[in-house]
Amino acid sequence: MKRFILPLSVLLYPAAYGQTKNHPVKKSVTTHSQTYQPPVFTDPDRLTKIKAALPVVEKLYREYAEKNNFPGLAFGVVVDDQVLYADGYGYTDLAKKTKASGKSLFRIASMSKSVTTMAILKLRDEGKLKLDDPAYLYIPELKAMPLLTTDSPAITVRNLMTHTAGFPEDNPWGDRQLDTQDEALIKLIQDGLSNSNVPGVQYEYSNLGFAMLGKIISHVTGISYQQYINDQIFKPLGMNNTLWEYTKAPADLLAHGYRREDGQWKEEELLHDGTYGAMGGILTSIEDFGKYMAFHLAAWPPKDGKETGPVKRSSVREMQQPWTFNNLNTKFSYPNGRNCALVSSYGYGLRISRDCENRLFAGHTGGLPGFGSQWWIMPEYGIGVIANGNLTYAGMNTVNFAVMDTLISIAGLKPRELPVSPVLKQLKAELVKLLPDWTESTASGIFAVNFFPDKSLEIRRKDTQQLFAKIGKIKNITELIPENQLRGNFHIQGENGTLNVYFTLTPENPALIQQLDVKQISK
């Protein structure tokens, strides 16, 4: 005969495990719906309000371009699945007085990086490589290359994607390597690279690392990384006017780059396409790149339904995670002077920031001789902004933050709101019936195995009865505010005060209440 040994907690707290002295528990809750409830925008006039704010957006960009003496500037706003607005200021060709527009083709420099990592993730999803593979599996010359210390781990594909390979920051040098060919990259590796750190321990921006990612794409696919990205990312997204080689751009659309020296404009030389284009070689327009931004926005929120893009939505969201800490700016302030600390990290070819108001930004800057650009999206708000200038290292961070902050303020934008999941709604109703006397609580079947051992029924009853007595007659019970599918809080409002009721559920199916906190929040 089998022997069943009950845990000590069952013997000490039988009620918590569905056992009473006189009768077994009669569970009133046996199933909960597992239907996922994605966050939604609740304002039906949201798009109309954003459109109404666009004249202010245009004014901000134009004034910024004038103040900073840009030859030309193209800018746009992306909302959800569309480029809502695209325009330009000044000229893309000063000699011919060609006006900048949403169709003008600017070299977007390091904004190219996330496209390269998207291609890597597509290959990963197809089982053709792994992110934690040593990079030398695809660039064999790396295996013999000495690293900084003898205990250094091998450089991985993920290290290259997150600027943690141990290579030094190389912006001034890397910007002039754009047209370098594969042979030169391989020779550079064979000659031995100088490392500033060991792999995997510290963020340090490396254009060289992204040139290697381009080489990895070519190695795995058997075609150039440019052709692979054209076929697998640009074409599926309808980015038909995005290219790598400037000589293939229509003359009336190509933006020329400039530097201001000695009181006059000097045109920067446009470099041809090459191995380092994977780090910064793309030429594109506001209208075309806006489609790429819309695809990033469309990955949110997680949802059921058919995949419609070139890469899985989950992989796009993976790109936007803060994989490597970069910086904490406690003195960051918005252009209107409002102080708001900002923490920044690096994802996969993307800069990730979150401000003191818990607002999330994902995007990238771009800078080359003759050009400066930046794009940001705010996935929780469903908006994005982009600005491309043809001035050497033109900074766009200030104006883009101003535009997003202004859009949110003028249009009264709110982040997506999470609906109450069926299980939270059901268990809230059960709790309301039980409080404050906890009658039949042990027989309700809604509490997890830890619940009453963590705090006895007698203490819970005493504490809640005292709190309910303080707030007096109940006037209203508010809707539950969810934190996620399995956690949330609601208020019980009385004549003399308000209680906050917070509870969180277990990973079981059905999910049960594992923690409940009832606290007075006002008198």
Side-chain angles (χ1 to χ4, degrees), residues 11 24 53 155 230 257 273 298 300 453 457 459 469:
L11 301 176
I155 296 169
N230 286 344
D273 184 31
W300 297 94
L457 173 60
I459 293 176

Side-chain angles (χ1 to χ4, degrees), residues 166-379:
F167 303 143
E169 186 278 322
D170 61 358
N171 273 326
W173 173 84
D175 289 347
R176 299 292 183 177
Q177 306 300 314
L178 206 58
D179 58 356
T180 299
Q181 299 305 305
D182 285 3
E183 296 78 11
L185 174 63
I186 297 304
K187 186 178 186 305
L188 180 71
I189 296 171
Q190 290 174 331
D191 289 345
L193 295 170
S194 296
N195 298 286
S196 61
N197 218 317
V198 299
V201 299
Q202 186 171 334
Y203 167 91
E204 191 157 359
Y205 194 82
S206 173
N207 291 297
L208 172 61
F210 272 76
M212 292 182 183
L213 288 172
K215 184 65 175 170
I216 290 172
I217 294 170
S218 300
H219 177 93
V220 173
T221 63
I223 59 177
S224 69
Y225 71 83
Q226 297 96 326
Q227 188 62 52
Y228 182 78
I229 290 173
N230 286 344
D231 294 343
Q232 301 298 323
I233 296 177
F234 292 159
K235 287 182 181 178
L237 290 177
M239 297 171 65
N240 300 318
N241 298 310
T242 297
L243 42 89
W244 303 87
E245 173 55 48
Y246 80 88
T247 59
K248 296 181 180 180
D252 61 333
L253 295 179
L254 178 64
H256 294 249
Y258 298 92
R259 177 192 299 271
R260 188 72 174 177
E261 284 185 351
D262 302 325
Q264 58 184 334
W265 292 115
K266 295 184 179 179
E267 186 169 346
E268 295 276 12
E269 178 186 3
L270 285 166
L271 298 179
H272 292 286
D273 184 31
T275 299
Y276 282 72
M279 67 85 175
I282 292 174
L283 292 99
T284 191
S285 66
I286 300 297
E287 293 181 0
D288 245 29
F289 197 80
K291 298 173 184 176
Y292 177 75
M293 294 170 59
F295 179 53
H296 272 269
L297 286 172
W300 297 94
K303 49 188 170 287
D304 296 324
K306 183 180 179 181
E307 297 280 357
T308 58
V311 180
K312 294 191 299 184
R313 293 189 294 268
S314 60
S315 293
V316 177
R317 295 192 296 269
E318 184 182 348
M319 292 176 66
Q320 299 173 17
Q321 299 307 304
W323 290 98
T324 308
F325 172 76
N326 180 11
N327 178 55
L328 171 61
N329 185 354
T330 59
K331 298 181 180 180
F332 175 79
S333 62
Y334 281 94
N336 65 3
R338 185 174 85 259
N339 291 326
C340 188
L342 188 77
V343 62
S344 298
S345 301
Y346 205 82
Y348 295 156
L350 290 172
R351 298 189 183 280
I352 315 298
S353 296
R354 193 176 284 276
D355 72 4
C356 67
E357 297 174 15
N358 203 31
R359 302 190 301 189
L360 176 68
F361 307 86
H364 212 287
T365 52
L368 280 171
F371 298 97
S373 56
Q374 187 192 54
W375 67 285
W376 280 121
I377 59 169
M378 299 182 72

